[in-house]
Amino acid sequence: MLNRLQQWPPLQKLRARYDHLGQRDQRALQVMALALLIALIYLAIWKPVADFRNDARADMETARDLVGWIQSQEPAARNLRAGGSGARQELREGELLRTVTESANRSGMPLQRFEPSGDRAMRIWLDAAPFTDLTQWLAHLQSEYGIGVDQASFDRTDEPGFVSARLTLQL
């Protein structure tokens, strides 16, 4: 294989040109070829391996953080699986309306209208409520008081991220 490579005509021409160079030029060419070889080894082998190693370390740290968070949330998940939050407050008949309106005021939910629908349900209307705040408030009602959404209708408003909603909440 090496003999065949040495017989290759373009390589023979380069070898002849190299032999005709002066000793100083040959030495400079050797140093330049060595520098090029070192740069090639660094860029083609060393740097990709080092980058992969650093990325793997960062991924490992992220995974460790995630495992720690999951383990810290395990008691809450077990509590939810066992039947809900121990902090859930049981509501008596007739307290649904008061609880929802007070919670809406504390959460900054703009209740436009509300009306009871029996002892265990109520209908509410909201105009231009931030959607993310609304969903967080509804999740809070469910987790703290056991008040769930029985029916929901959402309409988009002109302002992005805001909705008008008609909800039926039920114990």
Side-chain angles (χ1 to χ4, degrees), residues 5-71:
L5 188 60
Q6 288 175 346
Q7 299 301 325
W8 191 40
L11 190 59
Q12 286 179 342
K13 287 181 185 178
L14 285 175
R15 178 83 174 155
R17 287 181 72 184
Y18 176 78
D19 289 340
H20 283 83
L21 292 175
Q23 191 174 6
R24 265 181 94 176
D25 290 340
Q26 285 181 354
R27 185 52 118 185
L29 194 56
Q30 289 171 353
V31 169
M32 191 169 53
L34 181 62
L36 184 61
L37 180 65
I38 290 171
L40 185 65
I41 289 172
Y42 175 77
L43 292 173
I45 298 171
W46 187 266
K47 185 166 181 0
V49 168
D51 289 348
F52 178 79
R53 183 175 178 223
N54 291 338
D55 291 346
R57 280 188 176 163
D59 290 346
M60 183 179 69
E61 288 299 319
T62 301
R64 280 185 182 161
D65 292 344
L66 180 59
V67 166
W69 181 82
I70 289 172
Q71 288 174 343

Side-chain angles (χ1 to χ4, degrees), residues 119-144:
D119 287 336
R120 302 191 55 80
M122 69 180 290
R123 288 186 291 272
I124 61 172
W125 288 260
L126 298 104
D127 286 335
F131 183 73
T132 53
D133 293 348
L134 176 60
T135 56
Q136 289 174 354
W137 176 62
L138 293 172
H140 171 75
L141 287 176
Q142 177 66 44
S143 66
E144 289 295 314

Side-chain angles (χ1 to χ4, degrees), residues 90-106 109 111-125 137 141 145 147-148 167-171:
E90 294 298 325
L91 297 177
R92 292 187 212 107
E93 289 185 17
E95 290 184 343
L96 176 65
L97 188 66
R98 181 183 54 80
T99 302
V100 169
T101 54
E102 287 176 0
S103 177
N105 288 336
R106 281 193 307 271
M109 285 295 109
L111 292 181
Q112 296 301 314
R113 182 177 159 200
F114 54 91
E115 64 184 33
S117 180
D119 287 336
R120 302 191 55 80
M122 69 180 290
R123 288 186 291 272
I124 61 172
W125 288 260
W137 176 62
L141 287 176
Y145 305 105
I147 300 171
L167 304 166
T168 301
L169 303 178
Q170 181 175 336
L171 276 175

